[in-house]
Amino acid sequence: MSFRYRDSALSTDERVRDLLPRMTLEEKVGQMIQLAALEGDHENFLQRYHIGSYLHAVGDDVTRLQALNEKRSRLNIPLIFGIDAIHGHCLEDDTTVFPVQLALACTWNKDLLTEVGKITANEARASNLHWTFSPVLCIGRDPRWGRTSETFGEDPTLIALLADALATGYQTAEYPLAACAKHYAAYGETSGGRDSSDAHISEREMRNVFLPPFERVAKNGCKTFMAGYQSLNGIPCSANTWLMNTVLREEWQYEGVVVTDWNNCGQMLTLQKAARSMEEAVALCLDASNDIFMSTPEVYDITLALVREGRVSEARIDESVERILRLKFDLGLFDQAKNPNRQQLLSDTARWETSLEAAQQSLTLVKNSGVLPLSQTPRKIMLVGDNADNVLNQLGDWSFIPGMAAYTDTKTHRADTVTLKAALEAASAEHECEIQFFGDDYCGPFCENPVAQSFIQQAASADLIIFCAGDALKQYGEFHDRADLELPGNQNTIFDALYQTKTPIVSVMVMSKPHCINAVVEKSSAVIIAFNPGAKGGTALTQCLFGELNPSGRLPISFPRHVGQLPVYYNQAPGWHAAISPHYDGISRYIDLPESPLLAFGEGLNYSVIQYGEASLSCAHVTAKAPATLTLELRNSSERDAVEIVQLYCSLCIPGVTSPIKKLLSFKRVSIAAGTTRIVTFSIAQDDFIVWDKDMKQTVCSGEAELKVGKSSKDCDLQSLLLCVAC
């Protein structure tokens, strides 16, 4: 029998309206169940739960399960397969591994993020997948949190723009992949950086900081959302009707699919103690308009019972199923959408050029006393540190199938990854230098070996030391939060010993997140922040060291001097009383540490000399009909082409409300050739000054606004201009 919903000539609305009434209650509820294909009896899910979705299946497993579903599904409703393609479709070998999100954020490059999304989408679709649980819109303001590397940093404006660009790439690729904005919302702001604990955040801060990135992607068509694990002000996100219904569904008019994170519903009973029974947990989650329940199989039988008992209406189930069917129709799953040829796709080396470009643009030089670039190559270079040749630590989280096997994986991505050691050794002949490597037996995140005298002698006789330090894969990621942000293992001890030799040190930080690296920054001749730079990170770093690459990265997150100094994000509110003390220096500070971070948001250097001219405004007032233009001249007085990231901040006074010292308004990536000047302009509209007032109403903040433009968030790097905002 041929049903109308099988007709691809009909609109999605028409097809959904035809299919939904044909479905039994069991078939409807089954569409709301997503389970892992890693479990031994996963084939039985098709018949047991009428399951509509799997996660963590790839390639032949997907086609096998889809074929089984066609035989067993009465109405031939296709399955949708989801995967954690976080910085590339990394959970399979031979696929493109990009830098982690935190490293990608250092590029401040929206176009690059869109291209990353497109490549990821095509590769995932080549493995018959349809849906990625990405981008991550969490805000990284506490680096103790294990998942900091998955974020785009600490600023909501930067996060919104980069996440939207990545989601656009996924969904506009030649073979589109449904994007998923996660984790909704404020998952990274839990107490003490403890993964999935409670987050206590006022509505004002939610609307000013944590919700705007999600609002942007929701209104720009991100097809799915994922509810956070944690509770928000005491209410688990998946049961939070203010978050899920009032804001997402009503205010933003979001019509896409919402999926819970892994067993959110079950954890309300077993971990959060927010429900007295699974029946109560399921009812609460249904009330909060969740559509797909990830890895909570009990939801199936309980939901059927709740509907049959009249405690949940079938109309409520229809709301979710309609959204799920619409997603499947829009992705072409009912029409057997063609996927790319995997072998042909992976034979295209252009994808690796993009991975290398992403690594190159992510490298952030934060100190340089003149030792870089290595124009006069040292004859003998001593390379120290396990992270200079550790694929797991270089690629970072979500580069391997999740689980304990990831920490011992010795095969995946090995053929395509170039470590710093490999790249330096390959370049040594051209640069006529000798590379001596001292790895995990001498220095690393897990190494506790003492400093050997022979090691010190080698360091003293070297012309240059490249100290490659950071953390290890097992020391971060989901579940793995850290209270101590010092470099783990013996890395600090080794660095101190190397410094005593007086041999110049270039430090390269391959790590998941900010650490307290005071001594490294103070005593190194140069410092490069690489985070987890992806498969071609070693090549990019070597190019940077030898001057083939002029670094352009800027930090998307601040570095603390000490863990007790947290938080150190740049856009905090004023009001600290410390400045009143007559015993100190009249500025806000701890009695034993400065207020300022070790490294600030937006900070970064290059090898060129870029001079900022005096900024000017086209007019003194901005109105609804008359925007203002800020103009600034940049001059590159060096002999190297460069990319400068010009940052525009603003400070506002909102009557009755404490607002941030400054917040990022906009930024521009500017390419500037050697010996030339460029005019940079920012258009400033009245809408840029819409705020939440004292009564929690959105309004234009009229009056005087202070604009600050320059090369980082630090006051010393900014020049100020005053602009009057008129209603």
Side-chain angles (χ1 to χ4, degrees), residues 203-345:
E203 181 181 354
R204 182 176 303 281
E205 191 168 15
M206 285 295 296
R207 291 191 180 276
N208 280 330
V209 178
F210 297 95
L211 293 179
F214 286 100
E215 182 177 10
R216 181 183 178 94
V217 299
K219 292 183 175 179
N220 284 350
C222 184
K223 290 186 180 296
T224 72
F225 265 51
M226 180 184 288
Y229 277 127
Q230 91 289 359
S231 58
L232 176 62
N233 298 320
I235 303 174
C237 288
S238 285
N240 194 312
T241 54
W242 175 81
L243 185 68
M244 307 294 284
N245 296 348
T246 302
V247 176
L248 182 63
R249 298 296 191 190
E250 296 170 17
E251 293 182 15
W252 300 348
Q253 295 292 295
Y254 185 68
E255 297 179 352
V257 169
V258 172
V259 60
T260 73
D261 207 337
W262 188 285
N263 195 29
N264 277 13
C265 187
Q267 288 187 163
M268 287 177 59
L269 176 69
T270 61
L271 186 63
Q272 294 167 319
K273 309 300 182 184
R276 293 165 293 188
S277 65
M278 273 303 297
E279 288 77 12
E280 187 171 55
V282 173
L284 288 167
C285 289
L286 287 170
D287 190 41
S289 72
N290 295 274
D291 298 312
I292 294 179
F293 290 77
M294 181 191 289
S295 298
T296 312
E298 304 96 316
V299 169
Y300 179 77
D301 290 327
I302 291 172
T303 301
L304 290 176
L306 290 172
V307 174
R308 288 166 180 158
E309 293 166 8
R311 294 167 60 187
V312 172
S313 70
E314 189 164 352
R316 164 64 191 91
I317 304 304
D318 288 350
E319 290 175 2
S320 286
V321 177
E322 181 177 341
R323 288 191 281 258
I324 296 164
L325 294 177
R326 186 179 301 279
L327 176 64
K328 292 183 175 184
F329 278 118
D330 287 347
L331 288 171
L333 305 190
F334 281 86
D335 308 315
Q336 297 181 335
K338 184 179 179 181
N339 291 327
N341 179 284
R342 175 178 166 81
Q343 184 175 0
Q344 182 178 358
L345 188 73

Side-chain angles (χ1 to χ4, degrees), residues 497-519:
L498 293 173
Y499 178 70
Q500 295 301 319
T501 68
K502 307 299 183 183
T503 302
I505 301 174
V506 172
S507 291
V508 175
M509 311 311 295
V510 174
M511 57 191 182
S512 69
K513 56 187 175 182
H515 284 67
C516 301
I517 51 172
N518 299 24

